[in-house]
């Protein structure tokens, strides 16, 4: 698999420095890091951290009761722009 990512200049510099210290190309160093993270049985920390809004959204979804589809649909004719804004015109 080939992946292209844009790194901030400072991150790229850090990556290149660490790769040089390890005596490998930056691409190989990064590939090794990713493989180690994804093949470890219990990663030390996730590569991508969830945001507080995402956590709040997930919590809200868990608390929301399931509403089954009753088969009733709102006709598209009932949702015109005029129906929503006729008080403003």
């Amino acid at each position: 698999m080939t992946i292209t990512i844009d790194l901030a200049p400072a991150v790229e510099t850090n990556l290149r420095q660490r790769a040089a210290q390890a005596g490998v190309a930056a691409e190989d160093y990064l590939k090794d890091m990713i493989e180690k993270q994804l093949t470890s049985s219990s990663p030390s920390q996730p590569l991508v951290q969830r945001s507080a809004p995402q956590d709040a959204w997930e919590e809200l979804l868990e608390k929301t009761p399931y509403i089954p589809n009753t088969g009733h649909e709102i006709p598209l004719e009932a949702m015109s722009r005029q129906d929503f804004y006729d008080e403003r015109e």
Side-chain angles (χ1 to χ4, degrees), residues 34-68:
I34 292 169
E35 287 175 350
K36 283 180 182 174
Q37 178 72 25
L38 295 177
T39 57
S40 109
S41 59
S42 59
S44 56
Q45 63 181 20
L47 291 174
V48 178
Q49 298 293 327
R50 290 174 46 150
S51 65
Q54 183 177 355
D55 289 338
W57 174 251
E58 293 292 334
E59 185 178 328
L60 178 65
L61 286 178
E62 288 173 8
K63 292 179 180 178
T64 303
Y66 173 72
I67 302 172

Side-chain angles (χ1 to χ4, degrees), residues 1-19:
M1 173 190 296
T2 301
I3 300 172
T4 303
I5 57 173
D6 293 318
L7 298 175
V11 174
E12 181 180 354
T13 299
N14 190 340
L15 171 63
R16 292 192 183 282
Q17 288 173 348
R18 290 183 184 203

